[in-house]
Amino acid sequence: MIINDKRIRIIIGHYGSGKSEFAINYVTKLRKEVKGKVALSDLDVVNVYFRTREKKDLLKSLDILPIDSSIDAPTLDLPAVSAQVATPMNDESYDYVIDVGGDNVGARVVGRFNHLIKENDYDMFCVVNANREQTQTADKVIDHIRAIEKSSGLKVTGLINNTHLIRSTTVEDVLRGQELVQEVSKLCNIPVKYVACLENLVPELPKDLEGEIFPIKLYMREAWM
């Protein structure tokens, strides 16, 4: 259950992993399950596509505080981060989700604030898509995790299998990704937290998968994409 995750949830993942899609699905589900304040920060100042900040109006309509670049230019990626990012870190009345850039350079942004994040107050989840060249093997996933940890000064606490081909995703894709994250889990002693997939695939998945099945809606891609 996402309400049992730590108060600050940091979402990392390589380009094309579906990190931002997972983050916005996660925060909208979280909003339904908690009564207090909820915020989502978009700290991805690296990738110019499919950023959570482009869904600010949706987030506001759901009573979720969106926090992004301090420059009001949603179609541009500029290396400026609002000081508001720190507010939910210090204010324990918030449940907080942070969407971090897709590589160790992007992770340096959250590293600027790691002195505000208590060890027992955060989870950092690594989103893995086994269909991406950079994360097709356990060694590559582990290299990615180690680079993010070094840059951010924080530790990955959970793995998310989000192996997909967008709307062409099959059950076989999900299960192949599951084998990969389970291998990484064993090698690194990091638990598999979630198995993310499109809602229509959920009934076809085995019920005994390691990790909680997490149905995904495509918020970040319009119907024509």
Side-chain angles (χ1 to χ4, degrees), residues 88-144:
M89 294 177 183
N90 293 315
D91 185 346
E92 295 186 1
S93 66
Y94 275 96
D95 276 276
Y96 197 16
V97 180
I98 305 174
D99 179 9
V100 178
D103 62 9
N104 58 312
V105 176
R108 290 176 191 164
V109 179
V110 75
R112 289 170 49 187
F113 300 95
N114 64 14
H115 62 288
L116 300 176
I117 301 174
K118 300 174 184 176
E119 184 176 352
N120 63 351
D121 203 27
Y122 81 92
D123 276 306
M124 186 157 74
F125 298 140
C126 181
V127 177
V128 177
N129 180 0
N131 284 327
R132 298 297 293 178
E133 181 180 357
Q134 301 91 336
T135 51
Q136 287 183 339
T137 68
D139 286 344
K140 289 183 177 181
V141 174
I142 293 169
D143 286 346
H144 176 64

Side-chain angles (χ1 to χ4, degrees), residues 42 44-45 47-48 51 53-54 56 68-80:
D42 182 349
D44 192 342
V45 296
N47 189 8
V48 298
R51 299 157 305 181
R53 75 189 69 167
E54 295 174 353
K56 289 175 69 173
D68 58 53
S69 169
S70 59
I71 297 175
D72 187 13
T75 61
L76 299 176
D77 264 300
L78 299 169

Side-chain angles (χ1 to χ4, degrees), residues 17 128-131 160-165 169-170 173-174 176-178 180-181 196-197:
S17 65
V128 177
N129 180 0
N131 284 327
I160 298 165
N161 173 20
N162 191 40
T163 300
H164 68 88
L165 289 169
T169 306
T170 65
D173 288 316
V174 178
R176 183 163 48 81
Q178 189 70 4
L180 175 61
V181 296
C197 69

Side-chain angles (χ1 to χ4, degrees), residues 117-217:
I117 301 174
K118 300 174 184 176
E119 184 176 352
N120 63 351
D121 203 27
Y122 81 92
D123 276 306
M124 186 157 74
F125 298 140
C126 181
V127 177
V128 177
N129 180 0
N131 284 327
R132 298 297 293 178
E133 181 180 357
Q134 301 91 336
T135 51
Q136 287 183 339
T137 68
D139 286 344
K140 289 183 177 181
V141 174
I142 293 169
D143 286 346
H144 176 64
I145 287 173
R146 297 301 178 236
I148 293 287
E149 290 182 331
K150 183 177 180 180
S151 291
S152 68
L154 302 169
K155 291 291 184 181
V156 170
T157 63
L159 302 171
I160 298 165
N161 173 20
N162 191 40
T163 300
H164 68 88
L165 289 169
I166 314 175
R167 293 180 178 84
S168 299
T169 306
T170 65
V171 170
E172 288 71 27
D173 288 316
V174 178
L175 296 181
R176 183 163 48 81
Q178 189 70 4
E179 291 181 4
L180 175 61
V181 296
Q182 286 180 317
E183 183 180 358
V184 174
S185 175
K186 291 176 181 177
L187 291 170
C188 299
N189 195 30
I190 301 172
V192 179
K193 290 290 296 185
Y194 298 106
V195 182
C197 69
L198 293 174
E199 294 174 314
N200 64 296
L201 293 179
V202 170
E204 302 179 46
L205 291 178
K207 306 304 179 186
D208 59 348
L209 291 177
E210 183 179 352
E212 179 182 340
I213 295 176
F214 196 103
I216 290 286
K217 295 180 180 179

